[in-house]
Amino acid sequence: SKSNPAEIYLRLSLGRGKDLQRKIDLSTNPKDWNIKKGLPIEPKQSKLNSLTENYQEKLRAYNDLSEKLRGLKDSIFKKLNDANSTGVEVTGDWLQFNIDLHFGRVSETSISEYVIDSIQNILDTSATRKNGKGSLGLSKSRLNSYNSLIKIFKEFEICSKKKYKVKDINIPFESEFLKWLINTKRYSNGYALKKMADLKTVCYDAETFGIETHPQIKKVGTAKGKSFLPVYLTPSELEKIKGVDLYRESLKNARKWLLLGCNIGQRGGDLLQLTKDNFVTRNNGLEVIELVQEKTNKAVTIPVLETTKEILETGLPYKISLQKFNDCIKEICQKAGINQMVEGTKICMIDEEGNIIPKDENGNYIKKGVKRKIHGNYHKYDLLSSHTCRRSFATNQYGILPTPLIMKITAHSTEKMFLKYIGKDSLDYAQQIADFYELQALKSKKEPQLNLVKKAN
């Protein structure tokens, strides 16, 4: 090209009409290029310009570009000899890969150094990656998380007018990315921090393929969002739900699912998939519910208690969708008077200024916007969902049933995870132990009540 700057190409002639040509992502001024030699023209030196800053700058640019081109030429010749000796076909893609390999844009495993390509690599190889269940294939939730990350990051690069490499992810980048997520995209602090943590995982994954990461990567993505006390239904609130008058059959059916869910402690997806086949009687006459959790792939066995039998006295509720269940839960609990104000996050429609868009009398938003999780104080019924069932069971049974038994039903892997799930910490557990020992001490101090009786005949 005669335009300035002009792209530099590498041409590889293999004979027999096979002529490969690829860009090397370097450029120069055409006036400074020697077409015959295929190299830059060395700046002319004279007594007048030898010490001038302009000449010295041109000389440095010439030496730098010449060194890169000669290094590339030697590298391609070496790779060509290796390919010929091992029978590897030399194609245009082969040439482009080895150009990028020489300049460190990809690794030997052909994984790109760019963040977008590293995320895409995880998605492309998701079926053969190990998961938390000990088998192959990333879960649906993890795939959704990476799909949302790649979509968000592409938009961020467009706004930044920059294509980021894995080694660019450092503390200053984290600050810039979080600021964009929170202030521009109006995501919640918790969601923004989660995306940053996902990005850190991508960098660590790229590192296993030989991609360079920044020395600060360990300190990136370590912050955590504000946690709130878990929202659950107390035993007294469940009694209110049992007694509230419901006139629609759909609400009565959803109430049965809700009470059953709070009684067996399973996630919404597993709860709503229950059928008669899940209810079995074992050899010892014990009636149980058996299922395999979709998320964890763990087999769970739950005893059918009297309270469960009461709920199912007229049979299992009919099938409904998860979204319909979530909508009905809110309406049921509102009618039951579970309307105290509690702190939490709720999905709202917001406008460009971040203001919540209200709904009309028919429940439709009055104008268009984007859905975001907004932190605030809301009526409790507004924060309830299918997951309330599992959390209610775990929280209400804590301190009544032994924790390991509750964990067998909820399928939490560790007690630390379980305590965090129900909003407890090690201090609560310590208090539980202290109460136990205090009770034992009282029992040991209790004097026996003996009465003297006359000797029998």
Side-chain angles (χ1 to χ4, degrees), residues 164-220:
Y164 288 92
K165 298 178 181 179
V166 170
K167 65 181 179 182
D168 294 330
I169 309 304
N170 54 16
I171 293 174
F173 169 87
E174 178 183 32
S175 178
E176 182 183 354
F177 187 51
L178 290 175
K179 183 179 178 181
W180 179 79
L181 286 171
I182 295 168
N183 296 339
T184 304
K185 296 301 294 178
R186 302 289 180 181
Y187 287 119
S188 67
N189 290 0
Y191 186 79
L193 290 169
K194 180 65 174 67
K195 290 297 105 180
M196 193 64 235
D198 286 345
L199 193 56
K200 180 179 182 177
T201 301
V202 170
C203 292
Y204 277 140
D205 183 77
E207 191 175 35
T208 64
F209 290 96
I211 303 299
E212 180 185 358
T213 57
H214 197 279
Q216 295 176 350
I217 189 62
K218 289 183 179 179
K219 296 183 179 180
V220 167

Side-chain angles (χ1 to χ4, degrees), residues 115-116 119 147-164 173 176-177 180-181 183-187 191 370 372:
V115 172
I116 289 294
I119 303 172
N147 276 315
S148 66
L149 177 62
I150 198 169
K151 181 180 178 181
I152 289 170
F153 204 82
K154 283 179 178 178
E155 188 176 350
F156 176 68
E157 287 190 330
I158 291 172
C159 293
S160 303
K161 297 179 181 180
K162 179 179 178 181
K163 191 171 173 64
Y164 288 92
F173 169 87
E176 182 183 354
F177 187 51
W180 179 79
L181 286 171
N183 296 339
T184 304
K185 296 301 294 178
R186 302 289 180 181
Y187 287 119
Y191 186 79
V370 292
R372 293 289 184 265

Side-chain angles (χ1 to χ4, degrees), residues 230 232 390-399 418 421-422 424:
Y232 70 98
R390 186 169 183 254
R391 183 163 273 135
S392 298
F393 170 83
T395 308
N396 291 333
Q397 294 303 321
Y398 179 73
F418 173 77
Y421 179 73
I422 62 173
K424 305 290 183 181

Side-chain angles (χ1 to χ4, degrees), residues 54-330:
N54 186 46
Y55 169 76
Q56 293 297 327
E57 184 180 343
K58 285 186 175 181
L59 185 62
R60 283 193 296 270
Y62 162 78
N63 289 332
D64 178 61
L65 183 56
S66 297
E67 184 180 349
K68 287 179 178 176
L69 296 176
R70 289 191 176 97
L72 175 61
K73 180 180 179 180
D74 292 342
S75 175
I76 295 299
F77 272 133
K78 182 180 183 303
K79 291 293 182 180
L80 180 62
N81 288 331
D82 292 342
N84 290 335
S85 63
T86 56
V88 173
E89 183 182 5
V90 178
T91 63
D93 289 339
W94 175 95
L95 179 59
Q96 187 64 66
F97 170 72
N98 282 288
I99 291 172
D100 291 338
L101 182 64
H102 171 75
F103 287 116
R105 298 173 190 141
V106 297
S107 68
E108 285 283 3
T109 54
S110 76
I111 304 300
S112 167
E113 65 179 340
Y114 290 102
V115 172
I116 289 294
D117 296 330
S118 295
I119 303 172
Q120 189 62 54
N121 178 58
I122 292 176
L123 292 169
D124 292 342
T125 59
S126 61
T128 56
R129 286 175 175 264
K130 291 182 180 179
N131 56 41
K133 303 174 186 178
S135 57
L136 294 179
L138 296 184
S139 67
K140 184 179 179 181
S141 61
R142 289 307 299 156
L143 285 174
N144 290 340
S145 185
Y146 285 124
N147 276 315
S148 66
L149 177 62
I150 198 169
K151 181 180 178 181
I152 289 170
F153 204 82
K154 283 179 178 178
E155 188 176 350
F156 176 68
E157 287 190 330
I158 291 172
C159 293
S160 303
K161 297 179 181 180
K162 179 179 178 181
K163 191 171 173 64
Y164 288 92
K165 298 178 181 179
V166 170
K167 65 181 179 182
D168 294 330
I169 309 304
N170 54 16
I171 293 174
F173 169 87
E174 178 183 32
S175 178
E176 182 183 354
F177 187 51
L178 290 175
K179 183 179 178 181
W180 179 79
L181 286 171
I182 295 168
N183 296 339
T184 304
K185 296 301 294 178
R186 302 289 180 181
Y187 287 119
S188 67
N189 290 0
Y191 186 79
L193 290 169
K194 180 65 174 67
K195 290 297 105 180
M196 193 64 235
D198 286 345
L199 193 56
K200 180 179 182 177
T201 301
V202 170
C203 292
Y204 277 140
D205 183 77
E207 191 175 35
T208 64
F209 290 96
I211 303 299
E212 180 185 358
T213 57
H214 197 279
Q216 295 176 350
I217 189 62
K218 289 183 179 179
K219 296 183 179 180
V220 167
T222 56
K224 294 182 179 179
K226 182 180 179 181
S227 58
F228 310 103
L229 287 174
V231 178
Y232 70 98
L233 293 168
T234 64
S236 61
E237 288 171 335
L238 290 171
E239 287 299 319
K240 287 183 179 180
I241 291 169
K242 287 180 185 178
V244 68
D245 287 330
L246 300 173
Y247 300 102
R248 293 205 328 261
E249 190 61 34
S250 60
L251 292 181
K252 292 179 182 179
N253 182 71
R255 173 170 60 185
K256 188 179 281 192
W257 278 121
L258 175 59
L259 295 174
L260 177 61
C262 292
N263 209 49
I264 66 174
Q266 300 306 303
R267 296 179 182 86
D270 296 319
L271 170 69
L272 299 177
Q273 293 302 315
L274 289 178
T275 66
K276 291 181 180 179
D277 295 335
N278 295 107
F279 292 77
V280 296
T281 302
R282 289 300 163 201
N283 295 334
N284 56 3
L286 179 65
E287 295 180 61
V288 296
I289 302 170
E290 294 182 343
L291 59 92
V292 177
Q293 291 186 341
E294 183 181 6
K295 181 177 179 180
T296 64
N297 204 33
K298 291 181 179 179
V300 177
T301 302
I302 309 157
V304 179
L305 305 177
E306 288 303 315
T307 50
T308 308
K309 291 178 182 178
E310 289 175 13
I311 297 168
L312 300 177
E313 192 173 6
T314 56
L316 271 170
Y318 60 78
K319 296 280 185 181
I320 57 173
S321 69
L322 196 60
Q323 184 59 55
K324 183 67 175 177
F325 181 49
N326 287 335
D327 293 339
C328 288
I329 285 175
K330 293 175 175 60

